[in-house]
Amino acid sequence: MPEIKTIAIIGANGTVGSQVARLLVDSLDVKVFLVCRTIEKAQEAKYRIQISLLANRILGTMIPTDFSCLHKCISYCDWVFESVAEDLAIKREVYRQVIPFLLPDTLVSTGTSSFLLSQLTESFGEDFKRRFYGTHFFNPPEKLALLEFIQTDSNDPKVSIAFESFFKLQLGRSTINTRDVHGFLANRIGALFLNEAALLAEQYAYQGGIGYIDALMGRFTGRSLPPLKTIDYIGLDVFTAMYDNVSKDTKFLCRKSQQPQFFVQLKSKGSFGRKTCRGLYAQINMPNGSKENRVYDLVTKEYSFIQTYEFPFVTRMIGLQLQGDLFSSFHSLAKSDDEESLLCKYLLLRYITISRYIVKEAAYNDSDVDAAMEDGYAWISPRKLVFLFGGGKGIQEMLTSNELMKRAFKDVDAAILETFQTPTIDTDLRFFSHARK
């Protein structure tokens, strides 16, 4: 594989395309063609990247261009990264336009999180398939280092190793290899778990719904954002499309055909989440010019003030985390039996269950789930949660105490979790905002 010095990002004005361009010119002395539908959009993308970085931090060179000039840029490139809309027809049309100008050793990859590589390349010849890869970055890449690297039987193993090393060694990515399945590994787990959290919010609408479930799954459970806020950040349109794709080929025995009704209601209003300022949460402009954050009330179907919840089990967990004692913190949760702590345990056990099952569908190694969820979602690994709950034996004890806990593990034999765990380390305290070293 030749040294990667010249790169074309197709769709450089999109969220992922612009973030990857920013990462490249911030990290490497490379030439990056910012390819957009119009030259104006490409110039805007360059300007946004420039102002987001200090001038003395830009190592690479950015060249704005449009589709009419593909012949002038693709023929110089070592790597072409496609990051256009998640639409199968649009992506295939991009490949058709790019193929005539590819050098013999030029590599091509897609940033898709929705489609299989086999779907994207099925109408193209072996020459294109041998150079085509999946390189799924997570947004924003300066905070989330995961890169899911997907290859097929058509790829040359030596080229694959060199290409993956480029991302790992030169771009500082935490790379994992995944199977060519919908959602790959991290989003496959994320989609199924987040949907279950949303269904639970709907079930507990009169206790507070969205805000209630998020309060039960805050930073003290080991995640940067609680579940419903995560969906809001992803965007309801993107999330539901991701979930629908994952549902096509997972055999996980969950309510995979069911999504909450409030998703449909909000999408019909164009309330997709953070990007539209209204979704599961909203930022409301007040008459005095200030802004207030609100949460969508599933009963009134209006945005209401975000309630502050005080749960005794949370107070205990945070107190122990302030001492840097994660193990005792989760031991206290395991022994709690009030309604809120049971719901928290139920969701954490579902996260573990889903992860244990999906690893077998999407990963080559159980340990890859650590990087997938920690570097892709900023959630503590499910294998470390098993350890914090006392391993398979500790979880078995939890299951004998309550029917809700038994339902959490209806898809997996808890005994096998003895091999699906790994100890926590000092740096895992970063997942807990209250924890202190």
Side-chain angles (χ1 to χ4, degrees):
M1 187 187 87
E3 184 179 5
I4 294 177
K5 296 296 291 182
T6 305
I7 303 154
I9 297 183
I10 304 181
N13 59 315
T15 301
V16 174
S18 63
Q19 291 279 9
V20 172
R22 183 184 189 276
L23 177 68
L24 286 166
V25 297
D26 186 34
S27 307
L28 304 172
D29 180 15
V30 291
K31 182 185 294 183
V32 180
F33 289 102
L34 306 176
V35 185
C36 302
R37 289 292 175 188
T38 66
I39 190 64
E40 290 79 15
K41 289 184 179 297
Q43 289 168 339
E44 289 172 9
K46 179 181 179 180
Y47 176 72
R48 288 198 307 271
I49 294 167
Q50 284 178 324
I51 63 174
S52 70
L53 292 169
L54 297 174
N56 59 3
R57 284 182 56 189
I58 300 178
L59 299 176
T61 302
M62 293 180 287
I63 305 170
T65 189
D66 61 23
F67 277 69
S68 69
C69 295
L70 283 179
H71 64 289
K72 294 182 179 179
C73 61
I74 301 300
S75 57
Y76 292 99
C77 288
D78 306 303
W79 169 36
V80 176
F81 176 61
E82 171 270 301
S83 186
V84 300
E86 288 291 272
D87 182 291
L88 193 58
I90 292 174
K91 289 180 182 291
R92 285 175 174 169
E93 179 56 31
V94 166
Y95 305 151
R96 288 190 186 94
Q97 293 185 49
V98 164
I99 285 173
F101 311 115
L102 294 171
L103 295 171
D105 293 327
T106 301
L107 299 176
V108 181
S109 73
T110 176
T112 187
S113 60
S114 300
F115 298 111
L116 306 179
L117 269 62
S118 56
Q119 285 178 290
L120 294 169
T121 61
E122 65 183 0
S123 59
F124 301 102
E126 285 303 314
D127 181 66
F128 185 68
K129 292 177 182 178
R130 73 168 175 81
R131 66 171 86 226
F132 192 82
Y133 292 86
T135 52
H136 181 213
F137 291 84
F138 282 70
N139 183 44
E142 70 268 18
K143 292 183 179 179
L144 300 175
L146 180 67
L147 182 132
E148 291 179 314
F149 188 79
I150 307 94
Q151 54 188 299
T152 68
D153 291 340
S154 297
N155 301 130
D156 182 331
K158 292 182 180 179
V159 174
S160 299
I161 291 170
F163 197 25
E164 184 181 1
S165 294
F166 165 77
F167 295 108
K168 185 181 298 184
L169 302 178
Q170 296 194 52
L171 283 183
R173 299 297 89 189
S174 173
T175 65
I176 58 172
N177 283 265
T178 77
R179 301 183 191 277
D180 190 19
V181 294
H182 287 103
F184 309 126
L185 178 58
N187 279 349
R188 201 172 177 86
I189 293 170
L192 293 172
F193 170 71
L194 291 171
N195 191 67
E196 292 214 7
L199 288 169
L200 208 60
E202 193 167 57
Q203 181 180 338
Y204 285 84
Y206 286 92
Q207 280 93 328
I210 293 169
Y212 178 69
I213 295 301
D214 271 357
L216 291 173
M217 293 294 289
R219 286 296 298 264
F220 59 91
T221 64
R223 62 201 62 244
S224 60
L225 285 177
L228 284 303
K229 277 193 176 177
T230 300
I231 295 174
D232 208 57
Y233 185 87
I234 293 170
L236 273 173
D237 52 341
V238 175
F239 175 77
T240 53
M242 180 173 76
Y243 181 85
D244 287 342
N245 276 316
V246 168
S247 298
K248 291 174 183 175
D249 62 6
T250 181
K251 293 183 173 62
F252 184 74
L253 302 176
C254 64
R255 296 176 286 181
K256 65 181 184 180
S257 61
Q258 181 183 352
Q259 285 194 295
Q261 281 301 306
F262 66 88
F263 281 7
V264 178
Q265 296 161 4
L266 287 168
K267 286 199 298 181
S268 69
K269 301 175 184 177
S271 301
F272 296 128
R274 183 173 175 267
K275 61 187 174 185
T276 58
C277 296
R278 284 175 183 264
L280 305 184
Y281 290 84
Q283 193 171 72
I284 306 296
N285 294 317
M286 306 305 292
N288 63 2
S290 64
K291 294 182 178 181
E292 289 189 1
N293 293 319
R294 303 286 178 87
V295 63
Y296 187 67
D297 189 311
L298 301 182
V299 177
T300 66
K301 297 183 173 47
E302 301 288 342
Y303 289 98
S304 61
F305 291 104
I306 298 174
Q307 184 176 341
T308 300
Y309 294 91
E310 293 186 7
F311 304 126
F313 85 92
V314 175
T315 301
R316 289 193 294 272
M317 289 185 73
I318 290 175
L320 290 163
Q321 289 172 14
L322 283 169
Q323 301 171 37
D325 191 347
L326 295 181
F327 195 84
S328 295
S329 173
F330 278 83
H331 179 74
S332 74
L333 173 60
K335 297 302 181 184
S336 299
D337 59 2
D338 56 276
E339 182 180 19
E340 281 76 24
S341 65
L342 289 173
L343 288 174
C344 177
K345 284 189 285 187
Y346 172 81
L347 282 171
L348 290 176
L349 292 178
R350 288 307 283 164
Y351 172 49
I352 293 168
T353 306
I354 289 167
S355 300
R356 180 67 183 87
Y357 195 99
I358 295 305
V359 157
K360 298 305 179 186
E361 289 186 337
Y364 294 101
N365 302 290
D366 284 0
S367 59
D368 285 343
V369 77
D370 301 339
M373 303 318 296
E374 293 185 353
D375 297 329
Y377 273 75
W379 296 350
I380 194 166
S381 162
R383 297 200 314 148
K384 291 176 182 176
L385 282 180
V386 174
F387 171 78
L388 290 172
F389 276 131
K393 182 179 178 181
I395 289 177
Q396 287 277 27
E397 291 176 0
M398 291 165 62
L399 301 188
T400 60
S401 65
N402 185 273
E403 285 300 317
L404 182 63
M405 299 300 98
K406 292 178 182 178
R407 290 204 299 275
F409 261 79
K410 68 182 187 303
D411 307 306
V412 171
D413 180 358
I416 66 175
L417 292 178
E418 285 299 339
T419 60
F420 190 69
Q421 64 173 310
T422 191
T424 55
I425 55 178
D426 287 345
T427 56
D428 291 328
L429 292 171
R430 71 189 187 277
F431 298 111
F432 302 85
S433 61
H434 305 287
R436 296 292 183 270
K437 292 186 179 180

